[in-house]
């Protein structure tokens, strides 16, 4: 690992990105603004598929095996159905960010899926890709929610565009996997409680969910709601929390905005987008993990909990009954 460092880069932490889609490119762009990080390569299972992207980014196109051998830290940014297979090839001790989850549908072999989850649970230096939790305004927002007394209303609303990786086969998960896996960790951070029951209504006009409403009961007896929808332009997302005395709203897309009682408290509109959305801070955290100066946050294993909520939503929709989480 790191044995083939370039001349003059001995003090740099070398990063490689497995994947060549939009998420991979975003992380690559963020690396340019992350002090002490050098992007050495990007690519996938075979050479040639990411050559144009690598040329545009000014780095090498590498195979997955070469990236694992050479890089100090990795970002896994492949479609959900490929994540499990990629994880099983990466040493457990390697510092990494996993941008997308293992797909939770019948297209993925159950034994393989469970093995990938066990693999994720034993990675001491792995982070779940949750850039919005690293956004500069996120701490201020979480502190504002923490100041509320007796929160009775917590709702996530998100509209997005169906991603290019999504398959239209009848067994495919849809918006609840795409938007849910990315945004539910933010909602769970605001709740600061474990979800114990999921009730869901999914809209599946083509065999996969284009919209979904999830009601989540927390271990303290409170409930929160998540609403997801594909098809809206431009994409937008926000989380609203309310008590008897105040309402705190955190706009997530297209840039973070914090409001209290309808008054804007802070906005990231003037900031560079990859800083504002937390991508740079997330890589800084991974660098610190690599240098053993910080713990991974959020831990990759927390993503398995998020996926259990998504799977429970599908079971609840199919049965018409709430699904309990152990």
């Amino acid at each position: 690992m790191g044995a083939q460092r370039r001349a003059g880069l001995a003090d740099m932490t070398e990063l490689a990105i497995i994947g060549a889609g939009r998420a991979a490119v975003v992380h690559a762009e963020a690396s340019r603004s992350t002090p002490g990080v050098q992007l050495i390569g990007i690519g996938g299972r075979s050479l040639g598929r990411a050559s144009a992207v690598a040329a545009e980014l000014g780095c090498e196109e590498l195979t997955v095996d070469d990236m694992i051998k050479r890089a100090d830290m990795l970002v896994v940014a492949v479609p959900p159905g490929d994540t499990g297979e990629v994880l099983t090839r990466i040493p457990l001790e390697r510092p990494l960010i996993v941008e997308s989850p293992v797909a939770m549908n019948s297209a993925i072999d159950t034994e393989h899926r469970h093995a990938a989850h066990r693999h994720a649970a034993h990675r001491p230096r792995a982070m779940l890709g949750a850039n919005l939790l690293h956004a500069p305004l996120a701490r201020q927002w979480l502190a504002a929610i923490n100041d509320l007394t007796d929160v009775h209303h917590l709702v996530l609303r998100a509209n997005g565009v169906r991603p290019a990786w999504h398959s239209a086969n009848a067994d495919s998960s849809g918006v609840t996997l795409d938007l849910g896996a990315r945004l539910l960790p933010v909602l769970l951070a605001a709740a600061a409680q474990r979800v114990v029951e999921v009730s869901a209504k999914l809209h599946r006009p083509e065999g996969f969910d284009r919209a979904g409403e999830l009601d989540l009961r927390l271990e303290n007896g409170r409930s929160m709601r998540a609403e997801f929808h594909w098809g809206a332009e431009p994409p937008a997302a926000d989380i609203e929390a309310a008590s008897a005395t105040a309402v705190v709203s955190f706009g997530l897309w297209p840039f973070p905005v914090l409001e209290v009682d309808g008054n804007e408290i802070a906005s990231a509109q003037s900031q560079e987008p990859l800083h504002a959305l937390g991508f740079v801070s997330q890589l800084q955290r991974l660098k610190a993990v690599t240098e053993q100066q910080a713990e991974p946050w959020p831990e990759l294993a927390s993503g398995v909990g998020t996926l259990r909520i998504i799977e429970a939503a599908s079971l609840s929709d199919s049965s018409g009954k709430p699904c309990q989480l152990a």
Side-chain angles (χ1 to χ4, degrees):
M1 180 175 66
Q4 300 182 36
R5 291 182 183 276
R6 302 175 190 178
L9 296 178
D11 59 340
M12 302 292 281
T13 301
E14 295 188 337
L15 168 70
I17 300 174
I18 301 174
R22 182 175 179 275
V25 171
V26 167
H27 283 286
E29 294 287 353
S31 71
R32 294 176 173 176
S33 300
T34 307
V37 171
Q38 174 68 30
L39 177 66
I40 64 166
I42 190 169
R45 294 179 177 178
S46 59
L47 292 176
R49 302 180 66 177
S51 57
V53 174
E56 185 175 343
L57 293 169
C59 66
E60 292 185 68
E61 183 192 17
L62 299 173
T63 65
V64 172
D65 288 340
D66 280 341
M67 286 186 276
I68 292 171
K69 290 177 183 177
R70 292 179 52 179
D72 300 308
M73 61 187 196
L74 298 164
V75 171
V76 178
V78 298
D82 297 332
T83 308
E85 189 275 334
V86 170
L87 282 178
T88 58
R89 298 169 63 179
I90 301 173
L92 290 176
E93 293 291 328
R94 186 63 51 85
L96 54 82
I97 292 171
V98 179
E99 177 62 28
S100 63
V102 179
M104 300 290 282
N105 58 53
S106 59
I108 302 300
D109 177 78
T110 300
E111 182 177 351
H112 177 79
R113 186 177 71 205
H114 290 169
H117 285 181
R118 290 194 299 272
H119 211 57
H122 293 89
R123 290 184 173 275
R125 306 174 77 188
M127 291 169 48
L128 176 68
N131 59 284
L132 288 167
L133 285 176
H134 297 268
L137 281 185
R139 290 181 181 237
Q140 189 175 347
W141 162 64
L142 290 172
I145 291 179
N146 190 57
D147 288 341
L148 296 179
T149 302
D150 197 21
V151 174
H152 60 76
H153 171 87
L154 189 57
V155 178
L156 163 65
R157 300 182 183 90
N159 300 314
V161 177
R162 180 176 165 185
W165 55 257
H166 182 258
S167 168
N169 71 66
D171 293 322
S172 178
S173 297
V175 68
T176 51
L177 177 64
D178 174 38
L179 295 182
R182 286 188 283 161
L183 298 178
L184 280 173
V186 188
L187 181 65
L188 294 173
Q193 292 281 329
R194 188 172 64 89
V195 174
V196 297
E197 182 182 274
V198 179
S199 299
K201 176 62 177 177
L202 307 180
H203 303 278
R204 303 184 178 192
E206 301 169 73
F208 57 88
D209 47 300
R210 283 187 170 273
E213 296 85 38
L214 283 60
D215 290 303
L216 312 174
R217 185 167 64 84
L218 304 172
E219 58 186 339
N220 64 358
R222 297 286 186 183
S223 295
M224 60 184 181
R225 186 174 177 84
E227 301 173 357
F228 304 113
H229 181 256
W230 268 346
E233 285 278 10
D238 66 85
I239 298 177
E240 184 176 88
S243 69
T245 57
V247 177
V248 175
S249 178
F250 188 40
L252 305 173
W253 295 334
F255 53 84
V257 177
L258 175 62
E259 294 183 352
V260 177
D261 292 333
N263 299 311
E264 185 177 297
I265 303 300
S267 170
Q269 183 174 10
S270 62
Q271 297 178 11
E272 196 277 327
L274 295 179
H275 282 277
L277 294 172
F279 285 100
V280 173
S281 295
Q282 186 174 235
L283 282 179
Q284 288 175 324
R285 180 73 177 226
L286 183 62
K287 182 178 187 294
V289 169
T290 303
E291 296 170 347
Q292 300 185 10
Q293 296 178 357
E295 295 297 319
W297 180 81
E299 295 180 351
L300 180 57
S302 68
V304 175
T306 301
L307 289 170
R308 290 181 65 230
I309 293 173
I310 295 168
E311 189 171 50
S314 181
L315 293 173
S316 172
D317 177 70
S318 298
S319 68
K321 300 177 182 179
C323 182
Q324 307 296 320
L325 295 181

